[in-house]
Amino acid sequence: MAKPKKSEKLFLEGIFLTGKALQKKLRGLSAGQLIPLIRKQLQMSQRTLAKRAAMQQSSIARIESGRLDPNISTLKKIADAMGCDLIITIVPRSDLETMRENQAKTKAEQKIRYLHGTMSLEKQAPNQKLLKELLDEEVKNLLDSSGSALWDE
């Protein structure tokens, strides 16, 4: 796999930071909880929103109360009816480089544990310093690899 381009990395870092800021601002609100906030600021009734979205008012009420989990096309209709855009994106839970480093460490630890177990059975267990060096080297190799070795099971 080709190494990611610097411009792609910067683009994704921007999305990550913006997504995290948006998540913080939303304070865990779902789309269904956000709809009445916007609707009320627009001074729009559920009935009017339902009519504009070509839906039943009871569906709007169930979405707003959390009793109905709307699909994407329903959310799009509601957003359009309120003059809003629906943005669906993927926001990494943590920095992508940190995710790669954590994955490399996990994979390396699995490999070193296996090696340690095998050598222990043969009464040739390496000392902790050597294990640490082997772990660090394996992490570096995985991070420098093409990518599939890092994520393959």
Side-chain angles (χ1 to χ4, degrees):
M1 175 177 252
K3 220 167 167 78
K5 296 176 185 171
K6 183 72 172 172
S7 61
E8 292 171 342
K9 184 177 179 183
L10 291 172
F11 173 73
L12 290 172
E13 284 175 4
I15 288 175
F16 172 73
L17 293 173
T18 303
K20 287 298 176 192
L22 181 58
Q23 285 174 331
K24 189 175 179 180
K25 291 264 187 209
L26 287 172
R27 298 184 188 118
L29 287 176
S30 68
Q33 293 169 314
L34 197 54
I35 291 167
L37 294 177
I38 295 170
R39 180 178 58 73
K40 289 173 185 175
Q41 287 294 310
L42 293 171
Q43 297 182 336
M44 184 185 294
S45 67
Q46 282 184 349
R47 180 175 308 236
T48 302
L49 176 57
K51 185 175 180 180
R52 290 173 57 98
M55 298 174 59
Q56 297 291 317
Q57 184 271 327
S58 60
S59 295
I60 298 291
R62 289 196 331 262
I63 290 168
E64 290 184 356
S65 68
R67 293 189 319 261
L68 177 63
D69 194 14
N71 61 31
I72 293 170
S73 63
T74 300
L75 285 174
K76 174 97 173 85
K77 287 183 355 183
I78 293 170
D80 285 343
M82 294 189 300
C84 296
D85 291 321
L86 177 65
I87 299 172
I88 298 172
T89 190
I90 298 171
V91 178
R93 293 184 190 114
S94 68
D95 174 78
L96 297 175
E97 193 58 33
T98 301
M99 288 171 65
R100 287 185 73 247
E101 290 168 1
N102 290 341
Q103 179 66 14
K105 188 172 182 191
T106 299
K107 293 284 283 194
E109 286 171 346
Q110 289 171 349
K111 185 174 182 179
I112 299 303
R113 256 195 315 274
Y114 175 77
L115 173 69
H116 182 263
T118 301
M119 292 181 77
S120 293
L121 289 174
E122 297 173 4
K123 303 203 184 323
Q124 300 174 355
N127 64 36
Q128 291 301 313
K129 183 179 178 187
L130 177 59
L131 286 173
K132 173 79 169 110
E133 288 173 8
L134 289 171
L135 179 67
D136 291 344
E137 184 178 330
E138 185 61 23
V139 167
K140 183 183 179 321
N141 289 341
L142 285 166
L143 290 171
D144 292 342
S145 71
S146 65
S148 61
L150 186 60
W151 297 103
D152 289 346
E153 294 297 319

